């Protein structure tokens, strides 16, 4: 009997994860740890930087939003680049960019300098995320994609949690600049490692018809049967590149409504999460907590998110995306509203922020996993990138709006109630998706598209 003819997707889907695949996924997760660290950095540094530079706390809205604007621009743009030229080098160049500009931020002294450095740092951050999601999902068997991508996003809250812990030690000991130095030196070292250790997506190489010898080498590391010559590679018609602008294909082949239904909760949840990350330490300080307590309580949001990401993929597979996400978003909104009444004793505040992170960050990991599974290989980076890019609009609106409302005299309690609406509205949007008859949405058990 001759060798069995299988596509690259069938080869990956029909066997357990190899050490090579696991190593690739871990490298992608490391990039998201760095992303999570830097994304929360300025939220922890608002008060120390304000004290050192004389920039008023209520003027930090543009600084906090500058990196988010860069994130949005890069998420919308680098997905298009990656779907045309590959995932590996956009990830590496993005990591190098946010490493360099994080270090430069430590030397900023004026409002304009901080805004510019944070925008450029955001360009690096935004370019990494959609591509590591695409790369990790394309090395995962289809049934495991929600689990792998959700666990991959453990890196972001873990990075945020580490940033909070290091900030509480570094700021009083060595000063606020060292939080930024750590956030630049470590990514620089990891980016250099990725040059040699991170492979290109084998699914992408096949779809684009690139370097068949490299494809065979990678598949030999993925599948022992392929290495022994028991499998030969075939390429079906549905693994051909789509012509025209990749963004157009987010709305073709029955994906239009599903794309919109991903964008709405992404927008609302990232508005809520970045509102929390950017302003919660300052709001807790104004509510009577010390700086150290405010930073610790905010770090527990990320800490809860770590555990949520570990279990999110299993919940999606077991309970279904619709039921899981409606519950998580609804609870996140209620917990955020309840936080304004549950600040004392301090242990209770930690429990509430932990639970809030568990629900909101878990829901975001779920949305990212669904985006990776919903879109096929030829437009996956674009699909994930645009879902995150639209979400970044919310992440920009959140901190700026909070700063404006604080300037207008709103109290921390009033802000927390207004932020809670984001979680509740996201839950409503997903609940309504079940009421609209359609054959292709990311909230069905098998969207019917993706992972090709």
């Amino acid at each position: 009997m001759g060798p069995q003819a299988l596509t690259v997707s069938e080869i990956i889907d029909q066997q357990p994860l190899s050490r090579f695949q696991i190593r690739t996924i871990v490298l992608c997760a490391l990039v998201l740890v760095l992303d999570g660290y830097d994304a929360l950095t300025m939220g922890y540094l608002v008060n120390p930087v304000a004290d050192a530079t004389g920039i008023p706390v209520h003027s930090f809205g543009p600084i906090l939003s500058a990196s988010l604007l860069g994130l949005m621009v890069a998420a919308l743009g680098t997905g298009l680049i990656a779907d045309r030229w590959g995932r590996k080098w956009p990830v590496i160049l993005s990591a190098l960019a946010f490493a360099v500009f994080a270090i430069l931020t430590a030397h900023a002294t004026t409002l304009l300098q901080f805004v510019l450095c944070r925008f450029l740092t955001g360009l690096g951050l935004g370019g990494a995320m959609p591509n590591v999601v695409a790369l990790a999902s394309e090395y995962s068997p289809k049934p495991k994609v929600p689990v792998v991508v959700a666990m991959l996003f453990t890196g972001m809250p873990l990075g945020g949690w580490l940033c909070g812990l290091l900030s509480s030690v570094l700021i009083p000991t060595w000063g606020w600049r060292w939080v930024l130095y750590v956030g630049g030196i470590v990514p620089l070292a990891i980016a250099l490692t990725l040059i040699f250790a991170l492979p290109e997506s084998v699914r992408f190489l096949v779809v684009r018809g690139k370097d068949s010898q490299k494809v065979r080498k990678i598949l030999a590391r993925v599948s022992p049967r392929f290495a022994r010559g028991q499998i030969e590679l075939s390429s079906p018609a549905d693994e051909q590149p789509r012509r025209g602008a990749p963004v157009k294909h987010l709305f073709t082949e029955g994906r239009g409504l599903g794309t919109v239904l991903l964008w709405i909760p992404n927008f609302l949840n990232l508005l809520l999460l970045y509102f929390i990350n950017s302003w919660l330490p300052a709001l807790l300080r104004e509510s009577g907590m010390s700086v150290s307590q405010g930073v610790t309580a905010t770090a527990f949001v990320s800490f809860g998110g770590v555990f949520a990401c570990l279990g999110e993929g299993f919940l999606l597979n077991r309970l279904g995306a619709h039921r899981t996400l409606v519950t998580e978003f609804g609870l996140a909104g209620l917990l955020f509203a309840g936080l304004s009444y549950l600040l004392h004793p301090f242990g209770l505040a930690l429990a509430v922020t932990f639970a809030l992170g568990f629900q909101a960050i878990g829901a975001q990991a779920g949305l990212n996993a669904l985006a990776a599974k919903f879109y096929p290989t030829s437009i996956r980076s674009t699909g994930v990138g645009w879902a995150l890019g639209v979400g970044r609009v919310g992440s920009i609106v959140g901190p700026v709006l909070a700063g404006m409302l604080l300037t207008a005299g709103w109290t921390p309690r009033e802000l927390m109630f207004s932020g809670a609406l984001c979680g509740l509205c996201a839950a409503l949007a997903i609940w309504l998706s079940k009421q609209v008859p359609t054959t292709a949405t990311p909230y069905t058990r098998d969207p019917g598209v993706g992972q090709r």
Side-chain angles (χ1 to χ4, degrees), residues 145-161:
V145 169
V147 176
V148 168
V149 175
M151 291 182 73
L152 180 75
F153 271 83
T154 303
M156 288 206 69
L158 180 60
W161 182 55

Side-chain angles (χ1 to χ4, degrees), residues 257-266 367 370-371 374-375 387 442-443:
L257 180 60
T259 292
V260 173
L261 291 174
L262 272 173
W263 287 2
I264 293 171
N266 261 289
L367 290 174
L370 293 176
F374 187 59
Y375 297 108
Y443 304 110

